[in-house]
Amino acid sequence: MIFILFYYIWKKYPTIKTTYSEEQLIVLLKERNETGFHHLYDNYSGALYGVILRIVQSKEYTEEVIQDVFVKIWNSIHQYDSSKGRFYTWMINIARNTAIDYLKSKSFQNELKNQPLPDFVYNSKELSITNDSSDYIGFNNVLESLEVDKQELIDLAYYQGYTQNEISDKLKIPLGTVKTKMRNALIKLKDLLKDYQ
């Protein structure tokens, strides 16, 4: 929460905007540099917001989750290992896992039981933010390069928060097939993302 407060103060009294490479940004975050945090928030909040929104399907809850995501990124930056993947991918995984954990939390489940049904009707057009302002790296275009079945698996697992068992049940295909197709989809996606580095 304190980081969001810093962000708004910084927005009110902006300094000269600086662009950092991914490597420079990681160094700044590891040094606990607030300017690095502001840069991180400015450049990645829109994309991470989109990932979270597709899972929790509520703008109100997305606002809560995204704060937790940035706190987790700040607190666990020393765990990031560039040899295991890109920084953006690491952050997407944090956002995805935090959103799924939020949906499974007791407090959310209790709140869900106490809300009238219409509050949870999902209007994909109204909530959709898949536009140029939030899709900074053109990730939707990359996904569209995949075969339709691979797109569906990525969407179900990473945007809607389904587990592989749930995907197996939903698509009525064996769990082993889901695992194989998911692995192939991620390998293909990794190859496609090389062009965006």
Side-chain angles (χ1 to χ4, degrees):
M1 191 67 119
I2 193 162
F3 303 116
I4 306 302
L5 179 62
F6 282 139
Y7 172 75
Y8 287 115
I9 292 170
W10 180 77
K11 275 301 215 187
K12 188 170 182 177
Y13 305 103
T15 56
I16 298 171
K17 286 231 176 188
T18 307
T19 302
Y20 299 106
S21 69
E22 195 171 272
E23 293 77 17
Q24 291 171 322
L25 178 58
I26 292 164
V27 169
L28 288 172
L29 293 173
K30 287 183 176 181
E31 291 174 350
R32 315 308 277 173
N33 183 295
E34 288 178 20
T35 303
F37 177 79
H38 298 309
H39 182 82
L40 175 80
Y41 194 88
D42 281 344
N43 290 280
Y44 292 97
S45 59
L48 296 179
Y49 184 95
V51 170
I52 296 165
L53 182 60
R54 290 191 68 173
I55 294 171
V56 301
Q57 300 183 359
S58 160
K59 291 180 180 180
E60 178 186 347
Y61 299 134
T62 298
E63 294 292 335
E64 291 180 35
V65 174
I66 199 161
Q67 290 184 28
D68 290 342
V69 168
F70 278 97
V71 169
K72 285 182 180 181
I73 291 168
W74 178 260
N75 289 334
S76 60
I77 188 63
H78 289 285
Q79 295 174 11
Y80 170 67
D81 182 354
S82 60
S83 68
K84 294 182 179 176
R86 294 192 60 211
F87 184 54
Y88 180 72
T89 306
W90 181 74
M91 289 191 297
I92 284 180
N93 283 326
I94 290 176
R96 177 184 175 273
N97 292 337
T98 304
I100 292 169
D101 289 346
Y102 181 80
L103 290 179
K104 292 178 180 177
S105 70
K106 285 185 179 178
S107 60
F108 176 77
Q109 292 299 322
N110 288 337
E111 190 173 332
L112 191 63
K113 289 176 188 174
N114 295 326
Q115 294 292 324
L117 184 61
D119 290 348
F120 292 93
V121 175
Y122 178 55
N123 181 337
S124 59
K125 285 189 177 179
E126 181 184 326
L127 296 179
S128 176
I129 60 165
T130 52
N131 57 39
D132 294 336
S133 66
S134 65
D135 189 22
Y136 292 117
I137 64 163
F139 196 68
N140 289 328
N141 292 336
V142 176
L143 277 180
E144 288 172 6
S145 301
L146 293 174
E147 292 88 351
V148 175
D149 62 328
K150 289 182 172 70
Q151 287 180 39
E152 182 177 30
L153 286 174
I154 297 292
D155 180 65
L156 289 171
Y158 287 92
Y159 289 114
Q160 297 186 44
Y162 283 82
T163 65
Q164 290 183 338
N165 283 327
E166 291 168 338
I167 293 171
S168 173
D169 291 341
K170 182 175 179 63
L171 300 180
K172 307 215 180 318
I173 56 177
L175 179 59
T177 304
V178 170
K179 290 181 177 183
T180 302
K181 286 186 169 191
M182 182 66 75
R183 183 175 184 277
N184 291 339
L186 292 174
I187 289 170
K188 177 74 172 172
L189 195 57
K190 184 178 178 183
D191 287 341
L192 290 168
L193 284 172
K194 285 179 184 174
D195 297 335
Y196 288 82
Q197 291 184 3

